[in-house]
Amino acid sequence: MYGTSPKGEPTRSGSRADEDVKDAKGAEDATGGDGRGRGPGPHRSAVPTGLAPVWSRDFALFFVARALARLGDTMLPVALAAGLLQHGYGAGAIGLAMAASAAPFAGLVIFGGVIADRFSTRRLMIGADLVRLVTQALAAGLFFAGHVVLWQICAIGAVNGAAGAVFQPGVASTVPRLAADVQGANGAIRIAESAAQLAGPALAGLLVAFSSAGGVFAAHAGTYALSALCLLLLRLPAAAPGTRPHGGTFRGDLVVGWREFRARTWLWGVILIWCAYMLFISGPTAPLVATEVVRQHGASAYGLVNSALGAGTVVGGLLALRLRPRHMLRAGSVALFAFACFPACVGAGLGVPAMSAGAVAAGAGMSFWAVMWATSVQTQVAPDVLNRIHAYDVAGSLAMMPFGQALAGPAATVLGADHVLLVAGVMTLGVCTALLLVPAIRNLPRADLTSPPRTPPRGARR
């Protein structure tokens, strides 16, 4: 993400030249380094100017597309759980159906990053949305017809996950191409996704109550249709003069992506530390918080706590719109300390108000970190490898999540769920401290403080 292909690599004609935004100076700088073994320097200069800071017609379309997609995604677990239970399946079948979608996504997203860097990201995202429109419409038809077979639902989920693996890498490179203020754009999108996360499960519950699980799948398909329409209407800047097309084989592009990822200590350092976060904190927290809150206070209390967590993410997004720290990852790491409040409050057996307050703090800290991280990745990297690096980021970030979830039950049996949650709170402090102890992470300056003045790109918009 933070450089270009090595000099002398064969070029390939017919690549996504009509939609890539790069400049020759940024590409030249990418082959250098900062002299300290941390890989190429920031690439904020590769982002086109002549853009509105955040809000424009095109960014608004992308904003709506992301909000709709998030709304649909948060409805899906409710649809699967309600629909499969209604047709006689149990918790194991629900987990298998969810895993059928998650596994292809995690396994294929790295390859999706290579594809997104070789072709038009907008067209790939539209195609992925259309594929998911078909899969979810098919699932809706099965549930409406009352013909629900687990392997069919799993197969539909697998196709859905594979399409998501093609869609997701392009998100990272689209944001800096639509807004000059990348941090502000990420903050706005984060707020929209948080609001959708709050509304999605409630909307799905209403649809199940007044229609059926098939109605939720039909609504989910509708969100993909609207997302595809927004992306179809979206116009991206034309390629800047002097840019080099991608070259080499698919495998060569994959290797270059790994090389660029590995060259940046701050990047792979965060991902490595994040594996510990997923294994010891995020993985166990989600199922054990649900179990403990429901067991001690009831399902309505869990809904309240979950809503508080979502409200906190909105607060964090708003803070990210206002604050402009010089060292973004340092500020994000400090904010992330607040996440410890969530598992610690539940593990300590505090009341619902205290747990809700802890959830608000945790959501705000996590959301602020997420904006700082996404903006750092999008602005510190050359556009021609951004999708590949984002794919490595996503794959690495999710790698340990299933293991953390799987170990939650056995750990709770041995230590007690409350003690596991208290350990997760303490581990959060350790993870944040580890982020701050790595100089490459702590001292990474924001790119717009180190980049040279940018010139507007030439060429027509399409």
Side-chain angles (χ1 to χ4, degrees):
M1 254 182 180
Y2 309 110
T4 59
S5 300
K7 292 181 179 179
E9 188 175 5
T11 60
R12 175 177 61 85
S13 61
S15 65
R16 57 184 183 102
D18 62 332
E19 289 202 355
D20 276 344
V21 180
K22 316 164 198 166
D23 66 25
K25 179 64 170 65
E28 181 180 351
D29 290 344
T31 61
D34 62 4
R36 291 169 289 179
R38 297 180 188 175
H43 283 275
R44 190 67 182 89
S45 59
V47 181
T49 55
L51 299 174
V54 175
W55 291 104
S56 64
R57 169 194 176 274
D58 294 318
F59 178 75
L61 286 168
F62 186 69
F63 175 88
V64 172
R66 294 305 304 142
L68 287 169
R70 185 59 180 163
L71 179 68
D73 289 344
T74 58
M75 295 166 62
L76 184 58
V78 177
L80 282 174
L84 291 176
L85 288 173
Q86 183 182 2
H87 286 82
Y89 292 100
I94 297 170
L96 184 61
M98 292 181 177
S101 178
F105 176 84
L108 297 175
V109 69
I110 290 177
F111 303 102
V114 177
I115 295 171
D117 270 331
R118 294 171 71 93
F119 302 102
S120 161
T121 54
R122 186 178 70 94
R123 291 173 183 170
L124 287 171
M125 289 192 289
I126 292 171
D129 272 344
L130 293 177
V131 168
R132 293 183 289 184
L133 163 62
V134 173
T135 59
Q136 298 311 88
L138 179 58
L142 293 176
F143 278 99
F144 278 133
H147 181 74
V148 178
V149 181
L150 183 60
W151 74 263
Q152 294 175 342
I153 301 301
C154 289
I156 289 171
V159 175
N160 212 43
V166 174
F167 183 99
Q168 183 61 37
V171 172
S173 62
T174 301
V175 173
R177 296 168 66 181
L178 294 177
D181 181 2
V182 180
Q183 181 183 331
N186 280 315
I189 291 172
R190 185 71 182 180
I191 292 170
E193 292 180 340
S194 299
Q197 188 169 358
L198 281 171
L203 179 59
L206 289 174
L207 287 172
V208 169
F210 290 100
S211 175
S212 67
V216 184
F217 279 101
H220 194 193
T223 63
Y224 286 130
L226 292 173
S227 174
L229 177 61
C230 289
L231 294 172
L232 183 64
L233 297 173
L234 185 67
R235 295 177 299 170
L236 291 174
T243 18
R244 294 178 295 179
H246 279 276
T249 63
F250 187 94
R251 180 180 178 276
D253 282 353
L254 193 65
V255 170
V256 168
W258 171 250
R259 185 184 305 141
E260 297 291 341
F261 175 82
R262 192 179 58 184
R264 289 153 180 85
T265 303
W266 66 267
L267 178 66
W268 63 256
V270 168
I271 298 301
L272 186 62
I273 294 170
W274 210 249
C275 287
Y277 174 86
M278 287 293 182
L279 182 62
F280 297 109
I281 303 165
S282 184
T285 293
L288 294 183
V289 163
T291 301
E292 287 297 285
V293 175
V294 171
R295 183 174 63 83
Q296 295 178 12
H297 304 281
S300 59
Y302 177 64
L304 179 62
V305 171
N306 219 30
S307 296
L309 185 65
T313 62
V314 174
V315 172
L318 290 171
L319 288 173
L321 286 175
R322 302 282 299 177
L323 303 180
R324 303 284 166 151
R326 178 181 178 85
H327 299 94
M328 301 180 73
L329 296 185
R330 181 188 302 177
S333 300
V334 171
L336 195 59
F337 275 101
F339 189 84
C341 298
F342 189 35
C345 286
V346 179
L350 303 182
V352 174
M355 289 189 292
S356 297
V360 170
M366 174 57 70
S367 183
F368 188 83
W369 158 262
V371 174
M372 296 298 106
W373 170 247
T375 304
S376 295
V377 171
Q378 291 163 3
T379 57
Q380 295 282 345
V381 77
D384 54 348
V385 287
L386 177 57
N387 294 316
R388 274 170 284 175
I389 299 299
H390 178 59
Y392 278 112
D393 167 20
V394 172
S397 298
L398 296 177
M400 291 294 108
M401 172 68 89
F403 296 99
Q405 292 173 330
L407 291 174
T413 301
V414 175
L415 301 175
D418 54 344
H419 289 96
V420 175
L421 288 171
L422 289 172
V423 169
V426 174
M427 286 296 299
T428 301
L429 306 181
V431 162
C432 297
T433 301
L435 290 170
L436 293 171
L437 286 177
V438 179
I441 298 172
R442 182 181 69 248
N443 297 327
L444 183 73
R446 60 183 305 131
D448 53 9
L449 296 179
T450 58
S451 297
R454 296 172 288 166
T455 56
R458 299 174 185 174
R461 291 169 64 87
R462 72 181 192 83

